[in-house]
Amino acid sequence: VNDAATTGSGYGVKGDRKTLNTYSSGGTYYLYDVTKPMNGVIETFSAQNRSTYPGSRSVDSNNAWTSSTQGADVDAHYYAGQVYDYYKNTHNRNSFDNNGATIRSTVHYGSNYNNAFWNGSQMVYGDGDGSVFAPLSGALDIVAHELTHAVTERSAGLEYRNQSGALNESFSDVFGYFLDPQDYLMGEDVYTPTKSGDALRSLSNPSQFGQPEHMNQYVNTTSDNGGVHTNSGIPNKAAYYTISSIGKAQAEKIYYRALTVYLTPTSNFSYARAALLQSTADLYGSGSSAYNGVKSAWDKVGVY
Ligand SMILES: CCC(=O)Oc1c(C)cccc1C(=O)O
Ligand SMILES: [Zn+2]
């Protein structure tokens, strides 16, 4: 039996053509990517619209992943590979655990499910209901957001509530930007497919989608684990100020070092400021323009 790594192609959620790293075994093709270094594996499954995971491996008979229901599978697989490459090439991190863990995604989870999440072991994506969301793996920034939850879990371990939870959310949005830097919007490629110009969140203008962007607007609430998707607007705005003043290349090194070296499970916004400043001093010096950029960014959002 000739099992082999193969190259397929298909259409993503938006109908765009993509080349795919697949695998053939017994005459069937699988979304199973064995091309990454040190045996990192990326694999994609389908829940076939049931609420179970992982479901079964996404398969195709001729390695042409072109049916309308395969777009979610194509994008989950392709974008997971892009996020793997980003963390390896930019930060020398080998998968989310820095030890070559298999990156598994399940698509077509549930029915009309307007959600995506990291479940502690894998990524899971709904198909959306066609009004609030198109299939959620169709946005690179969402895939990067979810996989960054895994990186955070295996590094800082920021507890998913209150300020540490808002930081957890913010780091996922910020790395979503680093993967998809042509705008400061989150999820715009799949959010409200019948309406243009909106998004889940904006890093440059959090208040556009109902988020605070200064500490004096912090929302004390018990909903959403203490407003983790709301209060993330404050560190997101600080990240926007940082990126727009010192540039993406230095900002992403600073953010990765803070996340993997200094932040802890209970870090709050003030500690995040200190961690980012210390990371900047480590990398570029405390007298650098980068250091002044980070300091000024957090001053502007009222976090000291
Ligand atoms: C940008 C990705 C995102 O926010 O995904 C979520 C959605 C769409 C609903 C609920 C939670 C999340 C999340 O991953 O935090
Ligand atoms: Zn999230």
Side-chain angles (χ1 to χ4, degrees):
V1 176
N2 51 350
D3 288 9
T6 44
T7 302
S9 71
Y11 299 130
V13 167
K14 317 272 283 185
D16 53 318
R17 193 181 172 288
K18 290 179 164 94
T19 300
L20 300 164
N21 294 320
T22 58
Y23 197 80
S24 85
S25 175
T28 298
Y29 293 89
Y30 297 86
L31 292 180
Y32 186 79
D33 178 350
V34 294
T35 64
K36 302 307 179 188
M38 295 145 77
N39 301 317
V41 169
I42 295 164
E43 58 184 11
T44 302
F45 286 63
S46 170
Q48 287 144 336
N49 293 115
R50 301 181 59 79
S51 297
T52 56
Y53 37 77
S56 51
R57 288 186 181 281
S58 299
V59 295
D60 192 79
S61 57
N62 65 355
N63 218 6
W65 304 73
T66 55
S67 86
S68 61
T69 59
Q70 288 178 312
D73 311 58
V74 165
D75 280 341
H77 195 65
Y78 185 85
Y79 290 145
Q82 273 197 287
V83 180
Y84 176 92
D85 291 345
Y86 169 81
Y87 275 107
K88 187 71 182 69
N89 299 336
T90 309
H91 304 294
N92 196 28
R93 186 183 189 89
N94 179 10
S95 194
F96 55 86
D97 66 343
N98 200 17
N99 193 31
T102 291
I103 296 173
R104 175 179 291 178
S105 305
T106 291
V107 294
H108 305 303
Y109 178 82
S111 171
N112 295 328
Y113 189 63
N114 289 317
N115 224 308
F117 57 94
W118 170 260
N119 80 342
S121 308
Q122 64 162 95
M123 288 176 284
V124 184
Y125 301 95
D127 285 334
D129 60 9
S131 170
V132 177
F133 278 108
L136 282 90
S137 59
L140 173 57
D141 55 10
I142 289 183
V143 174
H145 178 107
E146 302 312 335
L147 203 45
T148 300
H149 277 312
V151 173
T152 296
E153 191 181 78
R154 300 306 187 95
S155 52
L158 288 161
E159 286 174 8
Y160 205 61
R161 62 169 183 266
N162 303 328
Q163 288 194 25
S164 56
L167 287 172
N168 187 316
E169 269 302 303
S170 177
F171 272 79
S172 274
D173 281 351
V174 171
F175 279 92
Y177 168 81
F178 290 145
L179 263 291
D180 192 16
Q182 92 271 13
D183 58 49
Y184 286 105
L185 298 174
M186 285 303 299
E188 72 284 355
D189 285 347
V190 294
Y191 189 63
T192 58
T194 61
K195 203 165 84 189
S196 64
D198 63 351
L200 263 179
R201 293 181 289 278
S202 163
L203 275 75
S204 56
N205 191 5
S207 60
Q208 183 180 356
F209 303 110
Q211 290 187 291
E213 43 190 76
H214 191 284
M215 198 57 196
N216 59 27
Q217 300 160 343
Y218 188 92
V219 177
N220 288 295
T221 174
T222 54
S223 62
D224 189 30
N225 304 105
V228 299
H229 293 93
T230 300
N231 293 307
S232 57
I234 297 161
N236 280 1
K237 184 77 176 198
Y240 163 70
Y241 285 135
T242 299
I243 293 161
S244 50
S245 69
I246 74 174
K248 173 175 181 289
Q250 291 193 328
E252 62 193 342
K253 295 286 184 191
I254 291 162
Y255 271 78
Y256 183 75
R257 183 169 178 78
L259 184 63
T260 57
V261 173
Y262 293 112
L263 290 172
T264 74
T266 57
S267 296
N268 61 16
F269 287 3
S270 174
Y271 193 91
R273 171 194 168 115
L276 290 159
L277 283 171
Q278 185 57 56
S279 300
T280 309
D282 297 344
L283 292 165
Y284 307 111
S286 55
S288 62
S289 59
Y291 191 91
N292 290 322
V294 173
K295 183 184 173 306
S296 144
W298 287 85
D299 289 350
K300 279 192 227 171
V301 301
V303 173
Y304 299 96

